[in-house]
Amino acid sequence: MVNAIAIMGGRVVTTDGVAEGSVLVRDGRIAAIGDFHPPADILRIEAHGALIAPGLVDVGVFAIDPPAFAAGGITRAMLMPDRAQPIDTVALVQHAAAAGKPKIWVHPLAAATRGLAGTELAEIGLMREGGACGVATGRQWIADSGVMHRLLSYAGALGLRTVVHAEDSGLAADAVMTDGETATRLGLAAAPAETEALAVARDLLLVEATGAPLHFRQVTTARALDLIRDAKKKRLPVSCGITPAHLFLADSAVTGFRTFARLSPPLRDENDHQACLVAIADGTIDVICSGHDPQGPEAKRLPFADAEPGMAGAETLLTLGMTLVRDGLISFERLFDLLATAPARLFGLPGGALVVGAEADLIVVDPNSPWRIESDKMIAAAGNTPFDGLPVQGRVMRTIKGGVSIL
């Protein structure tokens, strides 16, 4: 095993900006950044001007997919509790945390309620001791406000951030799309976009009552983003994330009954799509996550209403995020804050930034390398992506996790 690596001649991305330089890794930690003479007899990697950046920290994946994570530059994945057996015991937390070794750091999110049923709180304190980095409601919203109030009070007292899915389940019911022209034209069951704002509004009131930290895993509508923007002005401890799919696609992508574009929450109309881009630029959105939830052909090659929601997002997370930089919405340092630094900070995880002495989770990225996203060539366990056929720019050349190269 190599215990020292020098990555030379790159552009180093730190929270202070992007500067020419090199990075030295020794014994699993970052030993030097900037201009230095590398020791002899170590592995030397020439970056040739590529970006040297922190490994990505992906909030809320539904599958552990190490090859896809390495290809996408993800070194830490926060696993949702939605498994065949929901992660609601200490043993299941510990089993999930070990599942990614040695390729990936897996940080389980404990089920907020037993069996994710939304009625009885799980043993959150014990699961925190077992290694859970937060608690989550899973794919569902907790409809019972009393349960949600107790959850926030308990998790907050334990110092854990709660991750929620923001859709009012009573209004969303069996809808598979957002209400609007596309849903009407296709004749699909739809729910109004306000399902999201209703859920966000209630949970913000409960945050105000309890003072507990809360993370909305995906926020995708203008109305809900306005509520979160106002909550942040009041200094409430709230944060939110979004996926590239909701940043770059609108509900028209479903035209032709494209099941690869069936997601949860569903794709929104063009006005909401544009509001999401504004929220990235003005800092309302804290995190960009992959929403990695690959579904096999048996789940996707069905009539649209019967197909499972979900997409393979790990491999394309960074590449699509770089589009925001090229479009002038954000800088590279802001992009890596959204993809790595902020997720690590919000959930108290190591890594997420290039700092001397920190865990050596880092990536080398050629931001100019062109390629095309093709579902049938993806590394992910199932390559369903709504971006199939899209030409993109920017590719991960090397991924280093804990000082060891995994790509």
Side-chain angles (χ1 to χ4, degrees), residues 60-97:
V61 303
F62 289 90
I64 302 170
D65 201 342
F69 292 155
I74 296 166
T75 52
R76 295 180 185 272
M78 294 171 52
L79 180 65
M80 292 292 286
D82 311 63
R83 316 289 288 171
Q85 188 172 358
I87 302 174
D88 61 0
T89 67
V90 176
L92 291 170
V93 167
Q94 293 172 338
H95 178 74

Side-chain angles (χ1 to χ4, degrees), residues 3 24-32 350 355-360 402-403:
N3 61 13
L24 177 64
V25 172
R26 189 189 296 280
D27 297 327
R29 296 196 170 271
I30 297 173
V355 178
V356 172
E359 196 97 45

Side-chain angles (χ1 to χ4, degrees), residues 168-226:
D168 185 299
S169 52
L171 199 55
D174 297 323
V176 297
M177 277 198 70
T178 300
D179 200 8
E181 179 186 338
T182 303
T184 301
R185 185 160 38 81
L186 296 178
L188 292 170
E194 285 75 12
T195 55
E196 184 173 275
L198 281 167
V200 167
R202 187 209 63 176
D203 288 347
L204 287 176
L205 286 171
L206 293 176
V207 168
E208 197 164 356
T210 61
L214 181 69
H215 179 77
F216 297 100
R217 189 170 58 85
Q218 296 181 46
V219 180
T220 59
T221 63
R223 194 77 178 269
L225 287 165
D226 282 343

Side-chain angles (χ1 to χ4, degrees), residues 222-235:
R223 194 77 178 269
L225 287 165
D226 282 343
L227 291 169
I228 292 170
R229 197 175 280 117
D230 290 343
K232 289 187 169 188
K233 288 177 183 173
K234 296 178 184 174
R235 299 187 178 277

Side-chain angles (χ1 to χ4, degrees), residues 142-156:
I142 292 180
D144 188 319
S145 298
V147 172
M148 190 64 192
H149 185 273
R150 288 195 295 277
L151 168 63
L152 284 172
S153 299
Y154 189 34

